[in-house]
Amino acid sequence: MNKSPFEFSDDNKRYHTLNYYNKYHFGSKIYKAVLDCGFSCPNIDGTKSSGGCIFCDGGSGYFTHGGYDLSSQLTREKERICKKNGENARFIAYFQANSNTYAPVEILRKIYYSVLDFPHVCGISIGTRADCLSDEIVELLVELNSKIDLTVELGMQSIHKSTINLINRCYTHKEFCEGFFKLKRNKIRTCIHIINGLPFETHKMMLQTAEETARLAPEAVKLQMLHVIKGTILAEMYERNEFKILERNEYIDIIVEQLEILPPETVIERITGDGDKSKLIAPIWSANKIAVLGGIDKRLAELETWQGKKHNKKT
Ligand code: SF4
């Protein structure tokens, strides 16, 4: 029963959760198998930079079984998912680590096609950079999209030039939009990643990033708190006290306002963050995911608001 005033919810949620989307799109709960195919990134291998984004700890592959071949990784993930959720559990093959379109197209074709017929796989999700989408790669993605449910995830993080330079993303927002619209024109489902709490960003700047995301209208977004991870350039900046980290209530307030701006149809695939707790330096509060999720629900209810309440369809 829908206890929420929000239309894309059948529980107390006031935003469009991934669980809700999967339930009505796939007909059941869907899980994710995280994969590491050993791709690099132009921001790591020296093509654009060798330092990577300042928060990157080697490609966000914490959950993967990197080091194993793809078939073994899928088998291990299938066993993990089915053991926990029943033998009929289905999952999305998520190419997560580094930039998963950063390879010659024939190599990509072989890799992507190898998961299509793997038992229990009901979709593919590919995490990459918007500047790693050549026309021939987009053609391959279009082909793949005709065979299976496909999502391409793009790490935008922020729209602000000062932040993009500071985090060493190594491509402009204009280039981001060019890559994004190649996918949109070809009707490929997209998921934009946003990081809140990046150094020197104000509350207003984070809302502007949400406004621009609403204008771009991807099918999904991942909203995430900045994590300071051991061994990163960001960690060195943090140790030198060069920037301030958001408090939990500040983060919750920003999320609530961003949700109000985003269209109600946009699926919120993440609203806090996951990661290797043993490497997390700050914010420690983010490790208590349940408290953050509960805080967001509580604040939305207190303010009697929900996702899309302030969405301007003209943006
Ligand atoms: S684009 Fe992604 S993988 Fe590449 S350096 Fe940045 S965060 Fe790491």
Side-chain angles (χ1 to χ4, degrees):
M1 196 180 96
N2 188 359
K3 297 177 207 147
S4 158
F6 180 61
E7 61 184 304
F8 299 101
S9 169
D10 51 15
D11 53 19
N12 64 347
K13 292 291 179 189
R14 290 167 176 255
Y15 58 92
H16 198 151
T17 65
L18 184 58
N19 272 347
Y20 181 90
Y21 169 78
N22 284 340
K23 183 173 163 186
Y24 291 97
H25 184 71
F26 291 104
S28 69
K29 199 164 166 54
I30 299 295
Y31 304 89
K32 267 193 180 161
V34 283
L35 305 169
D36 179 349
C37 289
F39 292 116
S40 185
C41 169
N43 212 8
I44 293 175
D45 71 0
T47 302
K48 290 205 163 175
S49 162
S50 52
C53 301
I54 60 170
F55 47 78
C56 180
D57 67 338
S60 321
Y62 159 56
F63 292 108
T64 66
H65 304 282
Y68 292 90
D69 64 55
L70 182 55
S71 169
S72 309
Q73 290 184 49
L74 280 163
T75 304
R76 283 166 166 253
E77 281 293 83
K78 180 168 84 65
E79 284 167 4
R80 176 184 68 81
I81 290 165
C82 290
K83 191 173 169 199
K84 208 169 156 197
N85 308 291
E87 59 179 27
N88 295 322
R90 292 178 297 157
F91 58 85
I92 306 275
Y94 179 24
F95 294 96
Q96 185 197 32
N98 288 328
S99 296
N100 294 278
T101 58
Y102 188 51
V105 73
E106 282 317 314
I107 292 179
L108 294 176
R109 178 188 301 279
K110 212 170 148 199
I111 290 173
Y112 300 155
Y113 270 74
S114 69
V115 305
L116 277 188
D117 296 323
F118 196 87
H120 301 242
V121 170
C122 62
I124 294 180
S125 198
I126 298 173
T128 193
R129 290 165 57 95
D131 62 346
C132 291
L133 292 168
S134 67
D135 291 348
E136 58 173 0
I137 287 173
V138 173
E139 265 176 46
L140 170 63
L141 296 175
V142 169
E143 191 184 306
L144 201 62
N145 198 32
S146 69
K147 301 188 185 308
I148 194 164
D149 252 87
L150 173 68
T151 299
V152 176
E153 305 200 20
L154 299 174
M156 181 174 79
Q157 326 308 4
S158 168
I159 61 161
H160 298 286
K161 195 174 169 188
S162 57
T163 309
I164 290 169
N165 289 341
L166 179 89
I167 66 175
N168 194 40
R169 199 184 71 178
C170 291
Y171 64 97
T172 62
H173 184 59
K174 186 167 172 278
E175 288 172 282
F176 176 88
C177 291
E178 284 164 8
F180 172 80
F181 281 112
K182 279 188 189 181
L183 300 172
K184 195 165 175 103
R185 273 195 302 277
N186 283 291
K187 301 191 172 13
I188 293 171
R189 184 175 187 271
T190 51
C191 177
I192 291 182
H193 296 200
I194 293 173
I195 297 181
N196 287 322
L198 287 163
F200 316 118
E201 285 226 333
T202 60
H203 191 112
K204 188 175 169 196
M205 288 167 83
M206 292 178 240
L207 296 188
Q208 285 167 338
T209 292
E211 277 159 13
E212 170 67 352
T213 307
R215 182 189 74 82
L216 295 171
E219 282 75 13
V221 298
K222 283 185 176 173
L223 301 167
Q224 151 139 24
M225 174 62 205
L226 177 71
H227 282 169
V228 181
I229 302 293
K230 278 180 197 160
T232 60
I233 298 164
L234 186 72
E236 290 169 22
M237 290 172 68
Y238 182 74
E239 301 299 347
R240 292 195 297 266
N241 273 324
E242 286 179 19
F243 68 98
K244 189 179 159 289
I245 208 91
L246 291 178
E247 297 296 336
R248 187 173 73 185
N249 285 344
E250 290 176 293
Y251 179 72
I252 289 172
D253 285 346
I254 289 160
I255 287 288
V256 166
E257 289 181 58
Q258 288 178 324
L259 287 174
E260 288 181 320
I261 292 168
L262 291 168
E265 299 80 17
T266 307
V267 181
I268 310 299
E269 294 207 4
R270 184 188 291 151
I271 202 159
T272 168
D274 289 315
D276 184 349
K277 290 194 181 85
S278 68
K279 285 187 176 177
L280 179 70
I281 296 176
I284 296 304
W285 57 257
S286 70
N288 189 347
K289 210 172 146 182
I290 291 172
V292 180
L293 294 174
I296 293 167
D297 289 340
K298 187 165 171 266
R299 194 75 186 124
L300 285 165
E302 275 168 4
L303 296 173
E304 292 193 19
T305 192
W306 51 83
Q307 182 183 339
K309 193 172 182 191
K310 295 184 183 164
H311 172 57
N312 177 359
K313 290 202 166 62
K314 289 186 197 137
T315 51

